[in-house]
Amino acid sequence: MRQPSAGEALAAALSAEYAAIYAYGRIGVRLTGAARDAAHQAEAAHRRRRDALVVQLSTSGASVPPDRAGYALPYPVTDRTSALRLAVEVEERTAAHWRAALASTTGADRNQALAALIEYAVRATRWRKTAGVTPPTVAFPGRPT
């Protein structure tokens, strides 16, 4: 199987950022207090990374995948429990795209992918702790299970 180019890997990560932003719109409305604030901060972080990637891909001449009007969620988000479960899943899935980008990138792009992977792994751990999931950490963040 052919390894994707750096531009293709970053475009895939951008698509994951789009999906994460969409999901956080559904997550935040089911949370209150500090958890809701954390969801808003997470959504803002994904928006910043999305915006930076759009500029980066555009200026490098790489293909910028379009955002979609909606994304299929893996299950209905109807309460706090399902919102927290989805928040963990969103961070894990987005981390997986950035982990995959590590193999295709070098230099500053690789540093960017590693920073995103770390950020999302830490955020997934925080969501697991908020949800009361044990263990709160995973051995290899972003690695397919």
Side-chain angles (χ1 to χ4, degrees):
M1 188 161 99
R2 181 182 77 81
Q3 182 172 313
S5 70
E8 291 167 337
L10 294 175
L14 176 57
S15 292
E17 295 294 345
Y18 291 147
I21 293 163
Y22 179 85
Y24 270 108
R26 304 306 177 269
I27 293 165
V29 298
R30 298 294 179 188
L31 301 175
T32 59
R36 177 178 256 174
D37 292 342
H40 289 305
Q41 292 169 7
E43 181 180 355
H46 285 287
R47 286 181 184 280
R48 284 190 299 274
R49 190 150 277 138
R50 174 209 56 197
D51 294 347
L53 270 173
V54 167
V55 170
Q56 178 181 353
L57 291 171
S58 296
T59 57
S60 71
S63 177
V64 177
D67 195 358
R68 295 188 304 212
Y71 293 83
L73 298 178
Y75 41 82
V77 181
T78 58
D79 57 13
R80 182 179 195 276
T81 301
S82 58
L84 292 173
R85 191 171 92 201
L86 182 59
V88 171
E89 192 167 329
V90 163
E91 297 303 333
E92 288 174 342
R93 286 182 178 196
T94 310
H97 281 85
W98 284 103
R99 181 184 172 108
L102 287 173
S104 301
T105 55
T106 60
D109 291 342
R110 186 174 174 85
N111 291 341
Q112 173 189 24
L114 183 59
L117 171 61
I118 291 168
E119 178 183 337
Y120 298 156
V122 169
R123 190 173 300 123
T125 297
R126 288 182 182 141
W127 283 126
R128 281 188 212 93
K129 287 179 74 175
T130 300
V133 173
T134 55
T137 60
V138 295
F140 299 101
R143 185 176 178 181
T145 53

